[in-house]
Amino acid sequence: MSKKVVIIGAGFVGSTAAYALFIDGVAEEITLIDINKEKAKGEALDLVHGNLFTPYTKIRYGDSYSLCKNAEIVIITAGAHQKPGDSRLDLTKTNIKILEEIIKSITKYNKNCIILMVTNPLDVLTYKALKWSKFSKNKLFGTGTTLDTARFRYNLGEYYGVNPTSVHAYILGEHGDSEFPVWSSANIAGIPLKDFKKYNKKKLLQIFEKTKNAAYEILNRKGATYYAIGLVIRDIVRTILTNQNKVFPVSTIIENYYGIKNICLSIPCVIGKNGIKEKIYLHLDKDEEKKLKNSAKVIKSYITQVN
């Protein structure tokens, strides 16, 4: 397959992801598909006019899913947007109907691609997309808590006065309100956070709350979040296309993880050219294990409702 990437949905997230990939230059072709063909065309024209300043990337657009042919990666960003006051799970009933048609349309033209889910509620939709597509478990997954983890590391870095790339800490579980921090293994340069002079349990809990509510704060201020998730998408796509085997906390089907089965939630996974190469069994303490199981329970309850 060529390094062709298709993005379903030319809204804020889809177009920003396309822009990030366009600048990066790792994809040979970026195709935007949207029910609003004129919107897709407008975004495509705006991108292609910048080809003089970037590594050359072919840009295509349209409203036909036949454009998914020969794509190596298909990214799903289409769906109703989260509004101020909504939780991600409030979107379930609306977006699950949209998703079913999208999956049918993609698989009509391409059954060999990797599908990257971005639309919320992410974990519920990733689970349903797996069932509908019948794709192998390694080739369909969601961006998960990768953005939440990035926000967490940024906030911890600000507090401890270090670059966030030197902070090693995960947010796992639901990409939503029941997500949780893995304090037990969080560290800077291999040193546990509690061993630093600035350690303050109350302040660290406030940092997690700030992380968890970051999306709501942005939504209330500007109506949508798209820059950071666009970069998350770019990083995951680059990892697949260049077979980097990087670790991301992505939303994937859980088969036996602390007794959790048959649900999608975020755990650390090694990502390579064929999608998920390995799922990492991260050591959790008793409280973290309890919170992971609570996340699974929350997600399962919404899946049960839509079923």
Side-chain angles (χ1 to χ4, degrees), residues 141-154:
F141 53 93
T143 49
T145 54
T146 303
L147 177 53
D148 310 88
T149 292
R151 289 168 173 157
F152 190 45
R153 293 181 183 181
Y154 168 78

Side-chain angles (χ1 to χ4, degrees), residues 108-126:
K108 180 179 178 181
Y109 296 101
N110 193 330
K111 292 183 172 67
N112 299 309
C113 61
I114 290 170
I115 294 181
L116 179 62
M117 296 293 303
V118 185
T119 307
N120 286 317
L122 184 70
D123 305 289
V124 175
L125 297 187
T126 301

Side-chain angles (χ1 to χ4, degrees), residues 159-175:
Y159 176 70
Y160 280 100
V162 301
N163 191 297
T165 59
S166 296
V167 179
H168 306 284
Y170 284 109
I171 299 291
L172 299 183
E174 177 200 356
H175 174 54

Side-chain angles (χ1 to χ4, degrees), residues 63-77:
D63 56 6
S64 171
Y65 282 84
S66 64
L67 292 167
C68 288
K69 288 179 182 178
N70 303 316
E72 193 161 347
I73 304 170
V74 176
I75 303 160
I76 299 178
T77 70

Side-chain angles (χ1 to χ4, degrees), residues 219-280:
L219 284 168
N220 288 334
R221 291 176 185 274
K222 59 177 275 187
T225 65
Y226 41 90
Y227 292 134
I229 189 61
L231 291 170
V232 166
I233 293 165
R234 184 220 52 191
D235 210 31
I236 293 175
V237 168
R238 167 171 274 279
T239 297
I240 294 167
L241 294 180
T242 57
N243 195 29
Q244 288 185 11
N245 294 327
K246 285 179 67 174
V247 176
F248 295 91
V250 294
S251 183
T252 181
I253 192 75
I254 302 298
E255 290 153 319
N256 190 0
Y257 203 87
Y258 287 94
I260 299 167
K261 297 179 181 178
N262 196 33
I263 200 76
C264 285
L265 48 73
S266 288
I267 58 172
C269 295
V270 180
I271 306 295
K273 64 179 179 180
N274 295 315
I276 294 176
K277 182 179 178 181
E278 181 184 352
K279 297 175 184 178
I280 297 174

